[in-house]
C-alpha cells in the first residue's frame, strides 16, 4: 500500500513538473510571461482622457450626472484607432434603444432605486434618445 501511495505521489510530482510552466507563481497565481504576451496584443481602448482631449461638450453634459462614471468606450466601443487617426476611424454611434435597455430594461434582480423601464409600455416605438439626452438622460 505504501509503494502504491509513493508511486501516486511520484506521478503527481512528475506531471506537475511537466505541465506547470517554470515562471508560474513568480508574481502571483499566474505565469510571469503572460505580461509579455499581453503587451504583444495591440491596444484597442484609448481611455476617457483621449476622448476628452477633443470632445469637451459630451464631458460637460455628463458633468455630475448619473452617467458620469461610465467611460466613453462602454457605449461607443474601443476607440484607440479613432484617437490615433480621427479622420480615418470614427466612433460608433450606438443604437439608442438597444444600448439603454442593456442596463435599464426592467429586471427584478436590480435594486428598486435603479431606473428601469418596461420598453414596450414606456416607449413602444422610437429610441430612448428621442426624448432623453444620451450623455445626461434626465428629461
Amino acid at each position: 500500500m505504501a509503494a502504491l501511495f509513493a508511486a501516486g505521489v511520484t506521478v503527481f510530482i512528475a506531471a506537475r513538473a511537466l505541465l506547470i510552466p517554470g515562471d508560474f507563481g513568480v508574481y502571483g497565481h499566474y505565469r510571469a510571461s503572460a505580461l509579455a504576451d499581453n503587451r504583444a496584443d495591440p491596444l484597442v481602448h484609448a481611455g476617457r482622457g483621449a476622448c476628452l482631449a477633443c470632445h469637451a461638450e459630451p464631458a460637460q453634459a455628463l458633468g455630475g450626472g448619473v452617467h458620469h462614471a461610465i467611460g466613453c468606450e462602454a457605449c461607443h466601443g474601443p476607440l484607440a484607432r479613432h484617437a490615433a487617426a480621427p479622420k480615418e476611424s470614427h466612433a460608433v454611434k450606438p443604437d439608442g434603444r438597444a444600448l439603454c435597455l442593456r442596463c435599464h430594461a426592467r429586471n427584478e434582480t436590480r435594486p428598486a432605486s435603479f431606473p428601469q423601464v418596461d420598453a414596450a409600455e414606456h416607449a413602444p416605438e422610437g429610441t430612448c434618445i428621442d426624448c432623453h439626452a444620451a450623455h445626461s438622460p434626465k428629461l
Side-chain angles (χ1 to χ4, degrees):
M1 185 65 95
L4 196 56
F5 179 75
V9 169
T10 303
V11 167
F12 172 77
I13 291 172
R16 186 175 188 283
L18 290 172
L19 298 175
I20 296 179
D23 63 347
F24 179 81
V26 173
Y27 297 122
H29 197 73
Y30 61 92
R31 290 181 305 113
S33 59
L35 295 172
D37 293 347
N38 289 338
R39 280 188 205 107
D41 290 338
L43 294 177
V44 294
H45 295 281
R48 180 177 275 187
C51 300
L52 298 181
C54 299
H55 303 282
E57 298 87 24
Q60 289 172 346
L62 283 171
V66 295
H67 287 161
H68 77 279
I70 299 172
C72 306
E73 292 167 308
C75 300
H76 295 284
L79 296 170
R81 285 186 17 204
H82 173 65
K87 294 186 194 271
E88 296 173 21
S89 175
H90 298 286
V92 173
K93 184 174 182 184
D95 174 355
R97 187 175 187 90
L99 179 68
C100 297
L101 291 177
R102 277 191 215 162
C103 298
H104 294 290
R106 182 157 316 278
N107 185 335
E108 299 300 324
T109 62
R110 291 191 181 114
S113 61
F114 188 82
Q116 302 175 61
V117 297
D118 178 352
E121 181 181 302
H122 179 73
E125 295 181 11
T127 67
C128 301
I129 59 175
D130 289 343
C131 298
H132 303 270
H135 295 112
S136 185
K138 298 241 182 207
L139 285 177

